[in-house]
Amino acid sequence: MKLINTMAALAVCAVLPLEAQAVSTPPPTSGSLDVWFKAPRTGNTVSGTLSGATCYVAGAGVSRVQFFMDGTALNTDSTMSDGMQCQLDTTKFANGAHQLKAVAYTSSGASRADVISVNVQNQGSPPPGGDPTPPPTGSLPAGGKGIATFESVGLYWTPPSNPGSAGCDVSYRKAGESAYKSGMSLWYDSRNNECRGSLVHLTPGTDYEVRFALAGKTPVAQTTVKTWSEQFPIARTVQVTGGSGQLNITEGGSPSGYVLYTGAAGTVRDAANGADFNIKISAPYVIVRGLTLKGARMDAIQLAQGAHDVVIENNDISGWGRSRGGSLGLDMEAAVKARCTSSFNLERVVVQNNRMHDPRYGSNSWSTAHPEGPQAISFIECGGNHVFRYNEIWSSSGHYFNDGIGGGENFSTKGFPNSDTDIYGNRIANTYDDGIESEGANKNVRIWGNYIDDTYIAVASTVTHTGPFYVFRNVYNRGGTFGKSGQKAGYGGGRRYFLHNTLLQPSGGAGANEGIKGNTGEPMTNTVSRNNNWNVSSSGGMAIGVIGGSENSFDYDLSNGSMTPYSGAEQRGFVGMPVYASGNGATSGAGGMYQLAPTSRGYDTAVRLPNFNDSFLGAGPDVGAHEAGAPAMRFGVR
């Protein structure tokens, strides 16, 4: 894990200290009018002619949109739909960086713009002030796309023919490097003839070149993508004061400069049950940092129409939520909440380094009914491309969560967190249902490096409709099932990967009862399990249970439990209990030390997984979440 930049050294374009209650009235370009590019994304390399799904914006309150490349007008779209399209022939522009702008107008003439940078690269296009130059030796036609976060990229490529179960090969390198590295093969989804998959463990703020190929063949297409920088540019700072009122954020920034809302050290906003929210955000490119938020009647921070590209960091949040009777809280009221609609499709939210704990009321347990109650993070049917990292989520007796991080709808093509999202480095405890509920599309969703304790389920993924979905190097202490993994009611079929996870067994048999499984009527299908430490609480516990599922692949796992997989599964698996190095295993708790001893089954004998375990030490990778000889794993605020 990397230390997140504290952002103390961000370049500040202008600092205008304001009392939160005296924020100036937003200009007519704010409020309900909004526009943002869906494709291309800022930093993408583009070529040829873009239109339709390759160049369009979403918006709210929009009557028409004008498009410009640098200062050149392209076209106007007044379809008033959620996909207003530009018409861009990139061959009319020189190779290199350009500014693509969309200006949205209301029917009354108010306007708002979104500007992104794109990199035009056409073979034979003239460079600025020069003659056409041939493409570099070994260059490939543009193809596929990548959608980035800080440390990952979701990849999408339509191959020229059906590659079958082998999927598609992918290789990558940092821009300027000579050698390509192999990634894990992309999964081929015959439902839409697309190869999809992810690259992980990347460096923030870095350009990457990615190549695509049919399995075992020479690459035939390439794309470039840049991971997010951890330094957000600040255009303006609003000084927030303490108080009990609701702070309504209606003024945001742009990609070139966020508006930062922060307070002096120790600033507390306590709604004392007198305001629905501590903060309501209805603007884009906003950062909320370093506040103590208490006592909201409903949700501590609500993300509403107009919000996207929001960063919520370094806050302490507690005491939110309403009662549904006695000590039980209303379902899914949260420290950070969004309920999206057809006109509000929230994207690119970063929630990091927060402490979210002790809601006002608690959830019921499974002893009475399906848990309902408060959550730390709850997004309902929103867009994707989010990051939730380095948060601490816990509560006290009588105030347990329903889920720690989750949302809905579970049986849908969106769900939470939908797509191209990372959830990592969190410490999550005290939920009557799921530590992390990631259900719905799960399209290039990645969950790794979390410590989860005292939950009914660690990571729930019923359903994974689109996929692929990656769950790797997580540690589960006390609880029930690590991975609930079924499909139901026409939803499902997306690929899941469980890689290098560890189940702990503290004394007294309080550790996880089960590894990964489906349920009755919800079979586990299209799931891959590799290099996991499925150490369940008893030999009768189910380490892997397909419950009628098919198209699964299980091997190289260390397990002491029962299995109901397909015939021939786990041919190179390891049966038995893990043996930990001194001071490692359950005795470490959340301390980050879970390394196997050299005498243990699974030590140096796990299978190589390109890009996912490249940094192994010794003769080969180790089974489980923690490689022997590596630094301690870290969870929570940093």
Side-chain angles (χ1 to χ4, degrees):
M1 294 300 170
K2 303 174 183 67
L3 277 173
I4 180 171
N5 191 295
T6 61
M7 305 180 192
L10 293 180
V12 178
C13 301
V15 179
L16 302 177
L18 296 175
E19 295 297 322
Q21 295 88 340
V23 174
S24 57
T25 302
T29 58
S30 296
S32 60
L33 173 61
D34 199 6
V35 65
W36 62 96
F37 273 97
K38 299 278 286 184
R41 300 294 181 92
T42 190
N44 281 176
T45 296
V46 295
S47 61
T49 299
L50 305 184
S51 63
T54 60
C55 190
Y56 73 108
V57 297
V62 178
S63 174
R64 60 189 171 91
V65 179
Q66 285 185 296
F67 294 93
F68 300 85
M69 183 74 135
D70 300 328
T72 302
L74 300 177
N75 67 290
T76 299
D77 190 342
S78 56
T79 57
M80 300 175 64
S81 68
D82 188 46
M84 292 152 283
Q85 302 172 8
C86 72
Q87 303 291 329
L88 170 60
D89 182 356
T90 67
T91 63
K92 295 180 179 179
F93 298 86
N95 284 345
H98 295 269
Q99 298 294 314
L100 183 59
K101 179 167 70 172
V103 183
Y105 296 88
T106 66
S107 56
S108 62
S111 66
R112 185 179 185 94
D114 189 26
V115 181
I116 64 171
S117 62
V118 294
N119 178 28
V120 172
Q121 291 295 325
N122 288 300
Q123 294 186 14
S125 294
D131 296 324
T133 55
T137 302
S139 66
L140 298 171
K145 68 176 181 179
I147 299 178
T149 58
F150 296 112
E151 300 182 45
S152 307
V153 170
L155 297 173
Y156 302 83
W157 181 55
T158 300
S161 60
N162 185 339
S165 60
C168 299
D169 287 350
V170 61
S171 57
Y172 68 102
R173 68 182 180 184
K174 290 182 179 179
E177 291 186 344
S178 57
Y180 280 86
K181 299 178 180 179
S182 295
M184 183 181 290
S185 296
L186 307 182
W187 171 61
Y188 178 68
D189 188 347
S190 61
R191 296 172 296 184
N192 69 339
N193 302 313
E194 184 176 60
C195 276
R196 295 191 297 273
S198 289
L199 296 174
V200 298
H201 302 315
L202 304 180
T203 302
T206 302
D207 291 296
Y208 285 89
E209 300 168 355
V210 183
R211 290 184 166 185
F212 303 98
L214 294 174
K217 304 296 184 181
T218 301
V220 296
Q222 66 181 359
T223 192
T224 60
V225 63
K226 185 172 185 176
T227 52
W228 296 354
S229 172
E230 293 182 317
Q231 297 188 0
F232 298 95
I234 308 297
R236 194 159 72 117
T237 298
V238 176
Q239 291 296 327
V240 176
T241 59
S244 60
Q246 179 172 305
L247 173 59
N248 295 308
I249 296 178
T250 58
E251 188 170 359
S254 69
S256 60
Y258 286 64
V259 177
L260 168 63
Y261 292 81
T262 189
T267 297
V268 178
R269 295 191 67 85
D270 187 348
N273 208 26
D276 285 346
F277 318 112
N278 294 118
I279 299 175
K280 182 177 181 180
I281 303 173
S282 306
Y285 302 102
V286 165
I287 300 174
V288 175
R289 180 189 297 166
L291 304 175
T292 297
L293 306 176
K294 298 181 177 181
R297 192 172 73 88
M298 296 171 61
D299 310 311
I301 298 177
Q302 187 187 70
L303 295 154
Q305 184 157 334
H308 59 83
D309 295 275
V310 172
V311 181
I312 299 168
E313 62 182 9
N314 302 104
N315 303 289
D316 188 288
I317 305 172
S318 63
W320 69 89
R322 294 172 290 178
S323 170
R324 59 184 169 95
S327 62
L328 298 179
L330 281 179
D331 197 30
M332 302 180 78
E333 293 190 331
V336 181
K337 173 77 173 283
R339 182 179 292 276
C340 295
T341 65
S342 59
S343 61
F344 172 42
N345 190 45
L346 179 67
E347 294 179 310
R348 295 180 301 280
V349 175
V350 177
V351 182
Q352 60 185 9
N353 280 304
N354 301 282
R355 293 178 171 89
M356 295 173 277
H357 59 99
D358 296 298
R360 181 181 289 114
Y361 301 102
S363 169
N364 63 283
S365 72
W366 275 101
S367 63
T368 57
H370 190 298
E372 294 183 8
Q375 300 188 182
I377 298 171
S378 181
F379 284 16
I380 313 294
E381 289 290 283
C382 294
N385 209 197
H386 310 295
V387 173
F388 308 100
R389 64 178 186 173
Y390 310 144
N391 300 288
E392 295 180 6
I393 297 168
W394 80 94
S395 196
S396 56
S397 178
H399 300 263
Y400 271 29
F401 295 99
N402 168 18
D403 301 325
I405 299 175
E409 295 292 328
N410 300 344
F411 300 99
S412 75
T413 58
K414 292 182 73 172
F416 171 87
N418 192 341
S419 61
D420 301 293
T421 292
D422 292 331
I423 304 175
Y424 63 100
N426 301 285
R427 182 175 176 178
I428 304 170
N430 311 135
T431 74
Y432 275 131
D433 201 17
D434 309 325
I436 300 171
E437 183 186 67
S438 184
E439 300 186 322
N442 273 339
K443 182 172 65 175
N444 275 323
V445 170
R446 300 157 294 254
I447 298 174
W448 82 89
N450 302 282
Y451 180 84
I452 303 172
D453 181 31
D454 193 17
T455 69
Y456 185 67
I457 304 289
V459 179
S461 63
T462 303
V463 299
T464 292
H465 182 69
T466 308
F469 174 59
Y470 300 88
V471 181
F472 59 103
R473 295 200 185 277
N474 300 281
V475 177
Y476 191 30
N477 192 22
R478 298 171 298 167
T481 301
F482 174 80
K484 180 167 73 75
S485 309
Q487 63 178 35
K488 184 179 180 181
Y491 293 102
R495 171 68 58 85
R496 295 182 186 87
Y497 294 93
F498 291 96
L499 314 170
H500 280 288
N501 299 287
T502 287
L503 309 186
L504 300 177
Q505 288 299 331
S507 61
N513 298 320
E514 299 174 315
I516 54 175
K517 57 169 286 191
N519 292 313
T520 302
E522 298 176 351
M524 182 168 68
T525 298
N526 199 5
T527 297
V528 175
S529 178
R530 294 286 189 275
N531 299 351
N532 299 284
N533 179 355
W534 298 136
N535 182 19
V536 297
S537 57
S538 71
S539 60
M542 186 175 290
I544 297 178
V546 298
I547 321 297
S550 61
E551 301 177 63
N552 299 296
S553 177
F554 311 129
D555 211 350
Y556 288 96
D557 296 312
L558 170 61
S559 172
N560 67 317
S562 65
M563 293 190 181
T564 60
Y566 59 92
S567 176
E570 297 288 355
Q571 289 188 9
R572 288 149 293 194
F574 315 99
V575 177
M577 303 280 286
V579 179
Y580 290 102
S582 177
N584 284 254
T587 188
S588 179
M593 297 300 293
Y594 318 103
Q595 300 179 9
L596 297 179
T599 56
S600 179
R601 292 179 175 89
Y603 181 90
D604 272 2
T605 52
V607 69
R608 278 284 286 115
L609 302 172
N611 180 234
F612 280 80
N613 60 13
D614 290 349
S615 60
F616 72 89
L617 305 170
D622 298 332
V623 163
H626 195 188
E627 180 75 11
M633 300 180 71
R634 296 185 61 189
F635 314 103
V637 170
R638 58 190 64 191

